[in-house]
Amino acid sequence: MNGKEILKGLSYIDPAYVEAAQPRTTDKHNAASKPRFLLIAAIAATLLLLLTGAAAYSKWASGLEAAYHPSEGIRKQSEQNGLSVTYPRETVQEDSGLSVTDQGITISVKQTLVDALQAKIVLSVQGFELPDGVRPYVYVEPGTLDGDPEFWSSFSYDVYDGILLRDDGTYVYEDGTPAAEDYYTDDDVREDGFFKGRYFRPDGSMELTLDYRFQNTDGSVLGKNLTVYFTGFGQETAVSRGNLEQEQLVFGNWALTIPLNGTTDAVTATPNYRFGPEGPTLLTATIGPISGRLNYQLDSPLEGFDELEFLQPAIAGIRLKDGSMVSVQSRTEGYSDLEKLLFYVEFEAREGIVDLSQATGLVFRDPQTYEPTIEVPLT
């Protein structure tokens, strides 16, 4: 095995455990808007746009808003550089490839975030219903990119649960009410709980995000057409920690074809930074708006790699000029060349979009304290 991925399936995980133990799985390809009045109105509208900018940039999908908290400046930047593409519902025609209906259920593209390493494809699902708090399960295949089924190195999906984390560490729904607890169905673990999601939006739709890591990370995937296939919808029950049972309730066929437009903007650096006398040497770093890659030289094979132990020190964030940090987490690790002991770590932004013009350094966690105290400048 020479690759592994950390997935964020947190819906059934006690938040107290989230930082301590993210669930992991091996990634796919690394196993070895009368004339005078109108004129005045138009001028007023234009001035409003110039003064506020608010109406100029699209509202993001709810899940992405919750994850990245994009400022107006980041929205502007993301639309201008192509990272974010939004698809307002009134512009998406049914059966256009961007929206398809079967069995009374319509799946439509809502927004995409794509850089050279990663894609987040947000879809709206309208017409499927479940009782409040029941977690949906989606039967989906990763699909193809211009006919190629091998374009992805890892794939996962998430249904937005409507739960937000406040600055004080408490979990609430979007209306501000505390998130309700639920429990596993297994009597032996009834004392363990998790938060019950609100999976359906006020309009009755649910929001589904597909997450791809690309096999080729040179930007060659951009501009191609992603075709994704769905075969049904159902529900998922949490029996115990790590034991989830699925039941398919609706069978059908849905195929979406989505232009994979994005950005190749990135910051590259060659730190050649050694982490202590026996630690790895960070050779190069590539940072994109939502993801990045670090390349290392090891002195010897990584101990515990086959037991899913990860390279230390772990990447924690991207330092910005104002002193703030955009948190990141490792997603995939592996050998790029086992014989030469060349190792890589791919990561994704967790709580913000990286403004590349403001990036000054990388932050790593101390292996002993796990605090983000190790700083590596990009210059």
Side-chain angles (χ1 to χ4, degrees), residues 204-259:
S205 69
M206 67 179 185
E207 191 177 281
L208 171 68
T209 299
L210 311 179
D211 192 334
Y212 294 88
R213 303 289 297 191
F214 301 134
Q215 184 78 340
N216 296 322
T217 58
D218 58 3
S220 59
V221 299
L222 302 184
K224 298 182 179 180
N225 289 319
L226 170 67
T227 302
V228 189
Y229 304 95
F230 297 81
T231 58
F233 296 87
Q235 64 185 28
E236 186 171 66
T237 302
V239 178
S240 60
R241 189 177 300 279
N243 182 12
L244 307 176
E245 293 183 349
Q246 296 84 32
E247 179 185 2
Q248 189 163 358
L249 303 175
V250 180
F251 296 79
N253 289 284
W254 299 258
L256 292 175
T257 300
I258 307 161

Side-chain angles (χ1 to χ4, degrees), residues 2 17-18 21 29 65 74 103-104 150 177 182 184 186-188 206 225 331 343-345 365 371 375:
N2 56 341
Y17 292 93
V18 170
H29 286 293
E65 288 272 0
I74 287 294
Q103 307 300 315
E150 302 294 325
T177 59
D182 205 349
Y184 298 105
D186 189 329
D187 290 339
D188 292 338
M206 67 179 185
N225 289 319
R331 283 289 304 269
F343 199 84
Y344 74 90
V345 172
R365 297 189 181 278
E371 293 297 321
E375 305 258 349

Side-chain angles (χ1 to χ4, degrees), residues 60 64 68 74-86 111-116 118-120 222 260-265 288-291 352-354:
W60 284 23
L64 298 182
Y68 295 113
I74 287 294
R75 295 176 200 271
K76 175 181 178 180
Q77 184 182 89
S78 299
E79 290 192 16
Q80 289 179 341
N81 66 18
L83 172 69
S84 172
V85 180
T86 55
Q111 184 178 0
T112 62
L113 284 185
V114 185
D115 68 9
Q118 184 176 12
K120 290 185 178 290
L222 302 184
L260 205 61
N261 298 318
T263 182
T264 57
D265 288 358
I290 61 172
S291 62
I353 303 295
V354 180

Side-chain angles (χ1 to χ4, degrees), residues 56-75:
Y57 303 104
S58 303
K59 176 177 173 59
W60 284 23
S62 299
L64 298 182
E65 288 272 0
Y68 295 113
H69 313 290
S71 66
E72 195 61 30
I74 287 294
R75 295 176 200 271

Side-chain angles (χ1 to χ4, degrees), residues 204-367:
S205 69
M206 67 179 185
E207 191 177 281
L208 171 68
T209 299
L210 311 179
D211 192 334
Y212 294 88
R213 303 289 297 191
F214 301 134
Q215 184 78 340
N216 296 322
T217 58
D218 58 3
S220 59
V221 299
L222 302 184
K224 298 182 179 180
N225 289 319
L226 170 67
T227 302
V228 189
Y229 304 95
F230 297 81
T231 58
F233 296 87
Q235 64 185 28
E236 186 171 66
T237 302
V239 178
S240 60
R241 189 177 300 279
N243 182 12
L244 307 176
E245 293 183 349
Q246 296 84 32
E247 179 185 2
Q248 189 163 358
L249 303 175
V250 180
F251 296 79
N253 289 284
W254 299 258
L256 292 175
T257 300
I258 307 161
L260 205 61
N261 298 318
T263 182
T264 57
D265 288 358
V267 171
T268 59
T270 56
N272 283 316
Y273 184 94
R274 187 175 178 90
F275 294 93
E278 299 181 357
T281 298
L282 175 60
L283 300 176
T284 63
T286 301
I287 305 169
I290 61 172
S291 62
R293 178 179 172 121
L294 308 175
N295 293 302
Y296 296 87
Q297 174 71 65
L298 306 184
D299 290 340
S300 59
L302 181 62
E303 293 184 10
F305 180 76
D306 289 339
E307 286 72 46
L308 295 181
E309 293 186 15
F310 295 93
L311 184 69
Q312 298 295 328
I315 183 68
I318 309 301
R319 182 68 69 198
L320 305 182
K321 290 179 179 179
D322 63 1
S324 63
M325 184 182 80
V326 177
S327 296
V328 305
Q329 68 176 14
S330 172
R331 283 289 304 269
T332 305
E333 302 188 359
Y335 286 97
S336 53
D337 189 320
L338 179 57
E339 183 177 344
K340 296 180 179 180
L341 296 179
L342 297 177
F343 199 84
Y344 74 90
V345 172
E346 292 181 348
F347 61 84
E348 75 166 323
R350 292 183 57 193
E351 298 172 358
I353 303 295
V354 180
D355 182 345
L356 300 178
S357 69
Q358 300 300 304
T360 62
L362 300 164
V363 184
F364 295 83
R365 297 189 181 278
D366 184 294

